[in-house]
């Protein structure tokens, strides 16, 4: 390789993925980070790291000068831009080359040409690649464009020439809606891209989105790495991508892939790029070319057994492509699911990841940029990880996807895992018959009616609390289940309230009674936000975190929240000796005082924790039943107390 140090002008999972490729090639890595990312995973993994500014991307990851400074400080000999941010900025490419470093991407001229839809369509036509019928000429008048729209025939679509991701785009069904749509598209395009030129196209109804991966070198070689079907999108954000596309037969695949290679050649393209098509039946139309490595590149890697980042680095270093087209085969089936930190409505969410445990096993790849304990910032793209499954055929890949989604634990922030599970189970997806309207048509993006918390989840929540030694359980010595050492746990889930009566049978085994039934739960392992248990002998794995008075549990890929009541007060504990002016707190059962939280003479508030007692290996907090002054504390920490002993005297104020 002609360079030995590479700067990654990006963050998150893609920065991590590029750093790992470099480690395998013996290339040293330079990370950059905003103030929000000082402790981020990509910074932890890189050989060196440089701060580039405040958290908002326009002040850090979108500033060309910051990268030039980092190149100069670090002596990086090449720059990989990842995706998003400035990855398709010809300005950054030129600045990198101006600083004497290698741009791991296409020539800036090709990036610029592809950044303008009209230019890109002209190149496509020159390469004899089908484009959507429309108008991309120079007449920009409202009258002229309205006439062109009539000529094309409604429905049509107005697109910002500099646009992307659906911005500055308006579909128009009828002539009388044209002017308003044109003006709206222009307004949006001007504010988003600083350029209000638009083009018109025939509106292709409900197409599939199929794209072809290409790679070119500096020696005149251009190869394709087959297609990816990205039809499942939500508001122009891809959710699921797969290869092979269920919509292509071998002939159509060959034709579209050849078209993509012709286009790349015509554009003078080098490095990795993606040619996007709309597909309707057997008709395909060039849409645009993405001049970067894409989020969904791992599915291509799995079916071709090639490493796209390594290919990018090799061709950027001036090496010829190490594979010929004939050597590139498509084997098996790969599906990627993007994991977004978002609520059920699809709005991005931030916060601390209390537990993050992606699934494992054969045919599973996880590209991640976060670990348990990391803070997910709302400043950046909400995609936190990607799950890629691979199998010999699509049917097995779909089964693997479902299994892997069930085994995915993320607690602390809401994610789109429920949506992904609904997709993976949907018969239309299973049949491979998804088009771009799939999520809307089947109302999959709408949150389902609230899922009731299953009994299993409540039992596991109780067992997790008990085994963690942090249960704020209430001693329980009434009712049919009365024996010393039983405790009662209370949970609220939505409107419902649940009681679990628990008895410890052994060091990791509990007898739990919930409503009618009785279960024995053995906790087999409990660590890192996960527990493995046997529920009446049946093995089960669950994500578990105790966050204040909230238990968060994930079971078969579904997250449940159970709320605990505040710690019990002495009145609830049931103490003798209470009179009008005060209360004395007696131990409900024999136990040990593990912590005394107050001193004699202290003024305490109602509900304030006074001490923690342990009985039958379960810890409980005892709180003040009312405000008052602590008058006596007969037992010190570590003392063993007999059942019924007075633990504290509290005088009401
Ligand atoms: C279209 C189209 C229908 N007809 N062009 C959306 C994003 C941008 N890259 C192109 N897009 C579309 N262009 C014509 N002539 C429908 C879309 C479109 C779409 C395309 C791919 C995947 C999802 C989509 C969702 C809505 C609209």
């Amino acid at each position: 390789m002609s360079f030995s140090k590479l700067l990654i002008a990006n963050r998150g999972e893609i920065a991590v993925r590029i750093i790992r490729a470099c480690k395998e090639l013996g290339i040293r890595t330079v990370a950059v980070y905003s103030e929000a990312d000082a402790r981020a995973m990509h910074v932890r993994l890189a050989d060196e790291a440089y701060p580039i500014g405040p958290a908002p991307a326009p002040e850090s990851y979108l500033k060309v000068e910051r990268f030039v400074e980092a190149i100069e400080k670090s002596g990086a000999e090449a720059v990989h831009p990842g995706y998003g941010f400035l990855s398709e900025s010809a300005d950054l490419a030129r600045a990198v080359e101006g600083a004497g470093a290698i741009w791991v991407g296409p020539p800036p001229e090709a990036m610029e040409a592809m950044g303008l839809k009209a230019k890109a369509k002209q190149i496509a036509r020159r390469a004899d690649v089908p484009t959507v019928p429309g108008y991309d000429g120079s007449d920009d008048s409202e009258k002229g464009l309205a006439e062109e729209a009539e000529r094309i025939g409604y429905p049509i679509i107005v697109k910002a020439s500099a646009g992307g991701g659906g911005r500055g785009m308006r579909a128009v069904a009828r002539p009388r809606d044209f002017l308003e749509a044109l003006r709206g598209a222009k307004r949006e395009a001007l504010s988003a891209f600083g350029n209000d030129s638009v083009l018109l196209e025939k509106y292709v109804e409900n197409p599939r989105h199929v794209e072809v991966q290409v790679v070119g070198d500096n020696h005149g070689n251009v190869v394709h790495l087959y297609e990816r079907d990205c039809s499942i999108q939500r508001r122009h954000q891809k959710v699921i991508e797969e290869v092979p596309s269920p919509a292509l037969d071998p002939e159509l695949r060959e034709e579209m892939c050849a078209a993509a290679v012709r286009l790349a050649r015509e554009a003078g393209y080098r490095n990795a790029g993606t040619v996007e098509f709309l597909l309707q039946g057997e008709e395909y139309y060039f849409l645009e070319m993405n001049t970067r490595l894409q989020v969904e590149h791992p599915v291509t890697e799995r079916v071709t057994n090639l490493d796209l980042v390594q290919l990018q680095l090799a061709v950027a270093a001036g090496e010829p492509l190490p594979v010929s087209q004939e050597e590139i085969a498509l084997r098996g089936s790969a599906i990627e699911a993007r994991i977004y930190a978002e609520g059920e409505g699809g709005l991005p969410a931030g916060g601390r990841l209390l537990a993050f445990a992606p699934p494992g096993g054969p045919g599973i790849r996880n590209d991640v940029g976060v670990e348990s304990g990391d803070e997910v910032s709302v400043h950046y793209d909400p995609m936190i990880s990607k799950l890629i499954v691979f199998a010999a055929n699509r049917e097995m890949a779909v089964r693997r996807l479902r299994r892997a989604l069930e085994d995915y634990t993320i607690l602390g922030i809401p994610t789109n895992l429920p949506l992904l599970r609904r997709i993976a189970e949907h018969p239309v997806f299973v049949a491979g018959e998804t088009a771009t309207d799939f999520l809307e048509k089947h109302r999959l993006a709408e949150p389902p009616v609230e899922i009731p918390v299953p009994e299993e989840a409540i039992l596991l929540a109780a067992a997790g609390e008990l085994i963690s030694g942090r249960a704020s359980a209430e001693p329980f010595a009434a009712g049919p289940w009365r024996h010393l050492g039983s405790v009662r746990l209370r949970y609220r889930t939505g409107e419902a309230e649940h009681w679990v009566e628990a008895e410890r049978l052994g060091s990791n085994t509990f007898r739990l009674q919930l409503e009618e039934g009785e279960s024995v739960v053995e906790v087999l392992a409990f660590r890192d936000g996960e527990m493995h248990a046997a529920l009446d002998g049946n093995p089960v794995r669950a994500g578990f975190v105790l966050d204040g008075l909230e238990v968060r549990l994930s079971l078969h890929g579904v997250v449940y929240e159970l709320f605990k009541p505040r710690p019990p007060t002495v009145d609830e504990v049931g103490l003798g000796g209470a009179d009008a002016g005060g209360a004395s707190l007696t131990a409900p059962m024999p136990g040990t005082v593990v912590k005394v939280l107050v001193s004699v003479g202290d003024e305490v508030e109602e509900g304030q924790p006074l001490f923690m007692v342990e009985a039958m290996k379960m810890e409980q907090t005892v709180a003040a039943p009312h405000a008052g002054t602590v008058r006596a504390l007969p037992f010190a920490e570590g003392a063993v107390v007999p059942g019924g002993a007075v633990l504290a005297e509290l005088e009401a104020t």
Side-chain angles (χ1 to χ4, degrees):
M1 203 68 67
S2 73
F3 49 83
S4 58
K5 196 185 230 189
L6 176 109
L7 182 144
I8 299 101
N10 215 301
R11 63 179 303 283
E13 67 86 20
I14 192 61
V16 168
R17 193 251 170 275
I18 296 163
I19 290 167
R20 289 188 168 137
C22 289
K23 285 192 173 173
E24 290 161 16
L25 297 170
I27 299 170
R28 291 179 59 75
T29 51
V30 181
V32 292
Y33 60 95
S34 71
E35 282 166 16
D37 278 342
R39 278 174 291 279
M41 188 190 260
H42 75 285
V43 175
R44 300 198 290 267
L45 293 182
D47 295 310
E48 299 171 43
Y50 294 85
I52 53 164
E59 297 172 50
S60 49
Y61 296 106
L62 290 172
K63 268 206 178 312
V64 172
E65 312 90 83
R66 293 289 99 80
F67 297 118
V68 173
E69 287 160 17
I71 292 167
E72 284 162 359
K73 278 197 206 131
S74 64
E77 297 158 291
V79 174
H80 195 306
Y83 55 71
F85 295 127
L86 294 178
S87 59
E88 298 195 87
S89 159
D91 287 346
L92 178 63
R94 289 205 175 91
V96 166
E97 290 175 352
I102 292 172
W103 172 249
V104 183
E109 299 74 38
M111 297 171 74
E112 253 159 13
M114 290 305 171
L116 293 171
K117 287 198 170 74
K119 252 295 183 23
K121 283 185 86 168
Q122 284 158 22
I123 296 171
R125 285 194 291 264
R126 284 208 305 272
D128 206 18
V129 173
T131 56
V132 189
Y135 177 75
D136 50 51
S138 55
D139 187 350
D140 197 36
S141 69
E142 288 186 346
K143 185 165 170 293
L145 289 171
E147 284 167 14
E148 288 297 339
E150 294 284 354
R151 181 186 58 77
I152 296 162
Y154 284 84
I156 60 116
I157 186 165
V158 185
K159 291 182 177 181
S161 190
R167 287 210 289 178
M169 205 173 83
R170 293 278 194 290
V172 196
R174 307 166 294 195
R176 65 180 163 98
D177 297 331
F178 179 75
L179 274 189
E180 194 188 322
L182 176 66
R183 289 171 188 161
K186 277 182 168 284
R187 214 168 32 242
E188 208 170 295
L190 188 64
S191 77
F193 317 111
N195 174 345
D196 77 347
S197 68
V198 294
L199 51 78
L200 310 179
E201 284 179 356
K202 178 85 187 169
Y203 182 68
V204 182
E205 266 167 278
N206 197 21
R208 294 183 78 119
H209 172 127
V210 177
E211 59 188 28
V212 175
Q213 177 72 57
V214 296
V215 188
D217 65 18
N218 295 349
H219 305 268
N221 305 303
V222 180
V223 296
H224 72 77
L225 278 68
Y226 302 99
E227 80 279 9
R228 292 183 289 259
D229 193 315
C230 313
S231 297
I232 303 184
Q233 310 198 358
R234 182 187 203 180
R235 286 186 233 106
H236 301 294
Q237 275 198 326
K238 293 172 183 167
V239 179
I240 300 266
E241 302 100 341
E242 61 177 294
V243 51
S245 167
L248 300 190
D249 59 28
E251 291 74 42
L252 190 51
R253 171 172 301 112
E254 205 47 56
E255 198 181 320
M256 289 177 71
C257 290
V261 169
R262 281 200 308 280
L263 180 100
R265 283 190 188 284
E266 187 64 40
Y269 203 83
R270 275 175 270 144
N271 216 284
T274 298
V275 182
E276 288 187 2
F277 296 99
L278 291 180
L279 177 70
Q280 194 183 47
E282 295 274 293
E283 300 295 321
Y284 64 94
Y285 308 98
F286 167 70
L287 202 56
E288 54 193 77
M289 182 164 190
N290 300 317
T291 58
R292 58 167 195 276
L293 180 72
Q294 297 209 190
V295 173
E296 58 271 27
H297 75 277
V299 290
T300 298
E301 297 189 319
R302 289 306 304 249
V303 298
T304 60
N305 202 25
L306 290 168
D307 185 309
L308 269 161
V309 174
Q310 292 193 3
L311 288 179
Q312 284 190 294
L313 296 175
V315 299
E319 295 172 16
L321 274 167
V323 284
S324 67
Q325 189 68 68
E326 296 68 47
E327 293 169 307
I328 303 172
L330 195 174
R331 264 191 78 238
S333 170
I335 307 174
E336 172 179 277
R338 300 188 184 191
I339 318 296
Y340 289 104
E342 63 179 31
E344 271 283 2
L347 286 180
R352 189 169 298 283
L353 276 171
L354 300 174
F356 182 79
I364 305 265
R365 166 173 166 178
N366 291 287
D367 279 20
V368 308
V370 292
E371 290 176 331
S372 287
D374 282 358
E375 193 73 37
V376 174
S377 170
V378 290
H379 284 106
Y380 312 113
D381 191 287
M383 195 192 76
I384 53 172
S385 62
K386 307 184 301 209
L387 167 67
I388 302 102
V389 299
F390 176 71
N393 56 50
R394 189 174 190 277
E395 192 203 327
M396 289 310 297
V398 170
R399 287 171 183 270
R400 187 157 276 170
L401 176 67
R402 287 203 218 118
R403 191 275 291 173
L405 288 171
E406 283 205 2
D407 285 352
Y408 216 127
T409 299
I410 301 178
L411 295 174
I413 51 175
T415 71
N416 66 333
L417 280 169
L419 170 66
L420 294 172
R421 288 164 43 79
R422 295 197 290 274
I423 295 170
E425 277 155 28
H426 200 280
V428 172
F429 171 71
V430 172
E433 284 162 6
T434 46
T436 46
D437 69 344
F438 170 70
L439 293 181
E440 275 191 337
K441 185 171 167 186
H442 303 286
R443 297 171 181 259
L444 285 174
E446 291 165 29
V449 282
E450 202 174 314
I451 307 163
V453 178
E455 221 168 73
E456 200 181 1
I458 299 165
L459 294 172
L460 290 169
E465 268 206 82
L466 293 165
I467 200 82
S468 72
R470 288 166 60 203
S472 49
E474 303 160 27
F476 179 70
W481 226 50
R482 68 198 330 272
H483 25 68
L484 218 58
S486 294
V487 294
R488 181 147 74 172
L489 297 118
R490 263 200 294 170
Y491 298 105
R492 193 170 45 72
T493 63
E495 300 292 281
E497 191 165 68
H498 312 273
W499 300 83
V500 182
E501 294 163 17
E503 183 192 5
R504 194 161 204 137
L505 301 178
S507 60
N508 334 313
T509 308
F510 306 92
R511 190 202 315 277
L512 301 177
Q513 171 142 345
L514 172 63
E515 270 100 57
E516 297 306 297
E518 193 179 294
S519 300
V520 173
V521 181
E522 184 182 4
V523 180
L524 305 166
F526 184 84
R527 69 188 123 76
D528 301 334
E530 275 204 313
M531 68 191 274
H532 292 253
L535 219 167
D536 292 322
N538 300 312
V540 54
R541 197 187 76 154
F544 175 97
V545 292
L546 186 53
D547 182 22
L549 290 178
E550 226 176 284
V551 175
R552 296 189 190 199
L553 194 90
S554 86
L555 192 61
H556 313 306
V558 183
V559 175
Y560 301 101
E561 289 182 346
L562 299 93
F563 297 89
K564 308 195 300 164
R566 59 172 172 67
T569 65
V570 269
D571 281 352
E572 289 161 344
V573 170
L575 245 297
D579 57 39
S584 55
L585 298 116
T586 51
M589 65 183 99
T592 308
V593 176
V594 288
K595 196 130 200 91
V596 180
L597 302 162
V598 291
S599 310
V600 172
D602 281 3
E603 300 281 337
V604 297
E605 290 166 19
E606 183 186 333
Q608 182 176 333
L610 302 179
F611 35 78
M612 285 155 76
V613 292
E614 188 199 276
M616 300 293 286
K617 296 186 184 165
M618 294 189 274
E619 254 180 37
Q620 303 157 43
T621 307
V622 179
H626 52 70
T629 309
V630 179
R631 285 296 173 219
L633 288 167
F635 295 97
E637 278 181 20
V640 176
V641 291
V646 173
L647 290 168
E649 282 178 26
L650 189 63
E651 188 181 305
T653 44

